[in-house]
Amino acid sequence: QKEVEQNSGPLSVPEGAIASLNCTYSDRVSQSFFWYRQYSGKSPELIMSIYSNGDKEDGRFTAQLNKASQYVSLLIRDSQPSDSATYLCAVTLNSGGYQKVTFGTGTKLQVIP
Amino acid sequence: DGGITQSPKYLFRKEGQNVTLSCEQNLNHDAMYWYRQDPGQGLRLIYYSQIVNDFQKGDIAEGYSVSREKKESFPLTVTSAQKNPTAFYLCASTGTGGTNYGYTFGSGTRLTVV
């Protein structure tokens, strides 16, 4: 089982719709959770972080964390063509005094005008 | 503006050649990291450094070497021992709080073996 799993996609949504991206992780003691956006040929950019159960909203983005079910999701409201990118989920946990970060392989999102 | 500068953007390596990728940050971050990204795979950690003059191997350190002589700089050398070096290389840093607050990434170096 992969430590952090994401559906590779592509996930296609029409412009203006809600895009829902999901991520599951295997280690129950994971502490911090992140979503990065990566445009084709570019480096990842941190867009959301979440640390406790529930929802965290930032503009059109909402991150949702459920530690009991070991999943974290990202909702993008009013999706725009400029949101088309690969979204990477990352999870942090303490490992021998070092905070190890594990990335998923990413979900490609396509927003259709 | 504060950030991480990676150079060069594109690099071509001949068989048996060592090449060095540059990473410089002016964020005053203590910790720096090197990741490798291959198509269809998640980012994989090569090396990391939490303080000057100290660094640790990550998950795929074989065939790579690093140094951390200055807080601002963390160069990565891809040696001839790395048999499949073609990839997108990303340098990252973290400030106070370490990885709990996420990474700042550089713009990356795309390395190709010719």
Side-chain angles (χ1 to χ4, degrees):
Chain A
Q1 181 186 7
K2 290 182 181 178
E3 294 179 61
V4 178
E5 291 204 55
Q6 296 181 254
N7 187 321
S8 62
L11 172 67
S12 295
V13 300
E15 183 175 354
I18 296 175
S20 178
L21 305 162
N22 298 312
C23 171
T24 58
Y25 59 94
S26 59
D27 199 312
R28 284 194 167 274
V29 297
S30 297
Q31 299 170 295
S32 308
F33 307 85
F34 306 92
W35 285 99
Y36 291 83
R37 177 176 62 200
Q38 186 174 24
Y39 292 114
S40 181
K42 303 296 185 182
S43 61
E45 173 192 11
L46 180 66
I47 55 172
M48 289 291 285
S49 58
I50 188 166
Y51 307 99
S52 55
N53 282 328
D55 295 359
K56 178 182 178 182
E57 186 175 318
D58 184 0
R60 294 187 297 113
F61 298 100
T62 299
Q64 299 176 316
L65 175 61
N66 183 324
K67 289 189 175 182
S69 300
Q70 295 175 238
Y71 82 78
V72 56
S73 61
L74 179 70
L75 301 178
I76 306 175
R77 290 182 300 281
D78 188 23
S79 295
Q80 300 297 309
S82 59
D83 295 325
S84 297
T86 296
Y87 289 80
L88 306 175
C89 173
V91 174
T92 298
L93 63 92
N94 270 331
S95 177
Y98 167 67
Q99 293 165 327
K100 180 180 178 181
V101 181
T102 302
F103 285 84
T105 55
T107 298
K108 186 173 184 178
L109 173 67
Q110 294 176 339
V111 180
I112 311 301
Chain B
D1 285 339
I4 300 178
T5 301
Q6 289 188 245
S7 62
K9 189 172 182 179
Y10 299 97
L11 186 57
F12 299 92
R13 192 193 94 165
K14 295 181 180 179
E15 294 285 348
Q17 190 178 45
N18 292 354
V19 292
T20 297
L21 284 59
S22 172
C23 178
E24 302 276 336
Q25 56 101 356
N26 61 2
L27 300 166
N28 199 33
H29 283 175
D30 288 318
M32 298 184 73
Y33 310 79
W34 275 104
Y35 279 90
R36 169 179 172 145
Q37 187 175 36
D38 296 277
Q41 297 197 40
L43 275 68
R44 293 183 290 168
L45 182 64
I46 304 172
Y47 268 98
Y48 66 97
S49 169
Q50 294 179 295
I51 57 172
V52 174
N53 292 322
D54 186 57
F55 48 83
Q56 305 296 328
K57 292 182 179 179
D59 300 320
I60 56 164
E62 185 175 350
Y64 300 98
S65 66
V66 294
S67 63
R68 187 85 186 277
E69 297 176 1
K70 299 186 301 181
K71 186 176 184 177
E72 301 80 13
S73 179
F74 191 39
L76 173 73
T77 296
V78 184
T79 75
S80 57
Q82 171 49 241
K83 297 307 179 188
N84 185 24
T86 295
F88 189 41
Y89 289 86
L90 291 159
C91 180
S93 69
T94 56
T96 304
T99 55
N100 272 329
Y101 295 100
Y103 289 122
T104 299
F105 282 97
S107 56
T109 293
R110 197 165 296 277
L111 174 62
T112 304
V113 174
V114 297

